[in-house]
Amino acid sequence: MKVDLYEKIWMWGVGVILTAFFVSLAYAAVAGSMHPPSHVELIDPTPQTLMTNPRMNPQGVSVDESGAIHVRVIGVTFAWLPGEVTVPANRPITFHLTSADVVHGYMIVRTNGNAMVIPGYVSQFTTTFVEPGEYLVACNEYCGVGHQNMATKLIVVPEAEWEASPS
Ligand code: CUA
């Protein structure tokens, strides 16, 4: 079978581009520790039971017996409950996220903290914030007319400051 020179050039060009995409994806996944959340945990999404479910309560920041820090947040149209949370820098923080209505996206801007928030499931990821500061938390899944207002702040304070008054 005869293949035109132009066709060959295009075929190789596409091959090179696909290889470049794949390599950059693999590099980002390995070097940036990016991976799809694999934690599958079911929960009853009925708002009345969700707000008092011990697995999502207390909402906000808590410390378990082993000293691990957890943040539990419920997404509702069009807010995060609770709103602002304060966590220490340089400590692993495990986020537990669920929705009381539709699919939302919990994205901590400028960090690798990003997960879909799905009713009926608890999304979980653990991350460490190196730099103290205020981080914007935005909803990155279109969820309705108020989607663009569904934002809050995550405040990261130096570890010593947080130990003094854990929130
Ligand atoms: Cu919630 Cu968009």
Side-chain angles (χ1 to χ4, degrees):
M1 189 183 78
K2 188 184 175 298
V3 181
D4 252 8
L5 177 62
Y6 277 133
E7 216 164 334
K8 259 189 203 160
I9 291 170
W10 278 108
M11 279 160 61
W12 279 105
V14 168
V16 167
I17 290 170
L18 284 179
T19 307
F21 283 172
F22 182 78
V23 168
S24 64
L25 193 68
Y27 175 78
V30 174
S33 309
M34 291 176 199
H35 52 82
S38 55
H39 176 86
V40 177
E41 183 185 337
L42 300 175
I43 194 164
D44 178 4
T46 317
Q48 293 83 338
T49 60
L50 190 59
M51 298 301 166
T52 51
N53 189 313
R55 279 153 56 209
M56 288 308 292
N57 238 333
Q59 278 152 46
V61 187
S62 62
V63 183
D64 70 17
E65 316 81 59
S66 70
I69 300 170
H70 300 268
V71 175
R72 293 182 173 80
V73 177
I74 298 175
V76 295
T77 46
F78 300 100
W80 298 108
L81 303 176
E84 277 182 28
V85 288
T86 304
V87 295
N90 297 309
R91 289 269 295 270
I93 317 281
T94 302
F95 288 82
H96 308 259
L97 312 161
T98 193
S99 167
D101 38 51
V102 298
V103 174
H104 300 281
Y106 190 88
M107 179 169 82
I108 310 167
V109 178
R110 294 191 291 122
T111 73
N112 66 349
N114 186 353
M116 271 177 100
V117 180
I118 305 161
Y121 292 85
V122 179
S123 307
Q124 183 186 304
F125 65 84
T126 301
T127 191
T128 303
F129 304 98
V130 178
E131 281 189 33
E134 283 189 8
Y135 292 82
L136 172 69
V137 176
C139 179
N140 66 0
E141 291 280 345
Y142 182 73
C143 52
V145 288
H147 162 71
Q148 71 282 358
N149 301 324
M150 191 168 169
T152 185
K153 265 187 272 180
L154 178 85
I155 298 161
V156 177
V157 296
E159 200 180 342
E161 223 171 276
W162 190 81
E163 296 286 4
S165 60
S167 55

